[in-house]
Amino acid sequence: ILNVEQSPQSLHVQEGDSTNFTCSFPSSNFYALHWYRWETAKSPEALFVMTLNGDEKKKGRISATLNTKEGYSYLYIKGSQPEDSATYLCAPRFETGANNLFFGTGTRLTVIP
Amino acid sequence: EAGVAQSPRYKIIEKRQSVAFWCNPISGHATLYWYQQILGQGPKLLIQFQNNGVVDDSQLPKDRFSAERLKGVDSTLKIQPAKLEDSAVYLCASSIRGLAGGIAYNEQFFGPGTRLTVL
């Protein structure tokens, strides 16, 4: 079983604040990293797929960085809005096995209006 | 394009009863996955199908869980008999091949899940 850790587990921020979360994973045999946003009672939605060390991706107010050598990724949200409230899941893939996703436990973000 | 459909959305049963979940993947997606997400944990892969063949079922508790994908399209996941610890959200996903940084991967699209409560 691969150890994928996300921190913090939960987070409350005020509307307008910027925030960030961490995903750490084993660096050996790394293949790709996926970030998903999962709102309550909805389907998990893909945010980013990153593969290369030093990758930076951006989608609106959300961005992510990747360090494959040390095995971590950061997700940043600038100017949080109530609609950003969700659980953010990271899921690395590794070269071994069936190339499946290994999900972390997620960071549950609540943005207070 | 329609997304991944799952039913039912919610199910409450008593322990030792049986339950079945249904998934209809996105049209044309050859690969289908079932995940179990227990409260406080990340989704865990139970089984992966490629068309109607099983690719990986190493984490499926085969004494009580079974899954099939008839004709390589829809899939059902069954639990018989259910235990208290089976209370979870069961997610279905399907995938197509994508590219990122020149590397091929299977991009997964998820359904809304079925929330199972076992009393």
Side-chain angles (χ1 to χ4, degrees):
Chain A
I1 297 177
L2 294 165
N3 192 23
V4 180
E5 294 185 353
Q6 289 189 247
S7 63
Q9 285 191 355
S10 67
L11 189 59
H12 290 72
V13 301
Q14 291 291 135
E15 182 176 352
D17 287 351
S18 294
T19 187
N20 63 84
F21 326 132
T22 304
C23 171
S24 61
F25 49 88
S27 57
S28 58
N29 298 312
F30 175 84
Y31 189 83
L33 182 84
H34 297 247
W35 279 100
Y36 285 86
R37 174 170 61 198
W38 192 5
E39 294 180 63
T40 302
K42 294 187 177 180
S43 305
E45 171 198 357
L47 289 174
F48 304 114
V49 180
M50 298 191 292
T51 56
L52 302 175
N53 187 44
D55 254 357
E56 290 188 33
K57 294 283 179 79
K58 188 174 180 182
K59 186 177 183 179
R61 293 178 292 98
I62 305 176
S63 60
T65 61
L66 178 66
N67 183 318
T68 62
K69 294 187 186 305
E70 296 182 39
Y72 65 84
S73 175
Y74 294 136
L75 187 80
Y76 302 90
I77 302 179
K78 184 177 177 182
S80 302
Q81 299 297 307
E83 58 264 31
D84 296 329
S85 296
T87 296
Y88 291 82
L89 293 163
C90 74
R93 290 180 182 272
F94 301 93
E95 291 177 347
T96 55
N99 199 19
N100 292 323
L101 298 174
F102 291 88
F103 282 91
T105 54
T107 292
R108 185 173 183 84
L109 173 67
T110 303
V111 181
I112 303 164
Chain B
E1 178 183 75
V4 177
Q6 289 189 247
S7 69
R9 293 294 308 275
Y10 304 91
K11 189 74 177 178
I12 300 173
I13 61 173
E14 301 207 341
K15 59 183 179 184
R16 292 188 288 273
Q17 286 188 318
S18 301
V19 65
F21 313 129
W22 172 82
C23 173
N24 179 237
I26 294 173
S27 178
H29 284 197
T31 310
L32 184 147
Y33 312 79
W34 282 102
Y35 289 87
Q36 179 193 56
Q37 192 256 335
I38 294 172
L39 188 65
Q41 300 179 19
K44 179 185 81 172
L45 179 70
L46 292 175
I47 190 167
Q48 177 185 349
F49 291 96
Q50 179 75 15
N51 296 309
N52 60 353
V54 175
V55 174
D56 183 358
D57 63 356
S58 56
Q59 296 198 81
L60 186 74
K62 298 180 185 65
D63 57 333
R64 297 183 300 106
F65 286 64
S66 64
E68 59 182 8
R69 190 180 183 197
L70 298 176
K71 301 180 182 178
V73 182
D74 293 3
S75 177
T76 55
L77 177 69
K78 296 180 182 177
I79 308 175
Q80 181 179 10
K83 293 186 176 181
L84 297 176
E85 58 262 34
D86 299 332
S87 294
V89 175
Y90 290 85
L91 289 166
C92 179
S94 65
S95 69
I96 56 170
R97 208 145 181 82
L99 279 174
I103 296 173
Y105 66 93
N106 288 331
E107 180 174 5
Q108 296 186 23
F109 296 82
F110 284 85
T114 297
R115 182 175 294 276
L116 173 68
T117 302
V118 182
L119 302 176

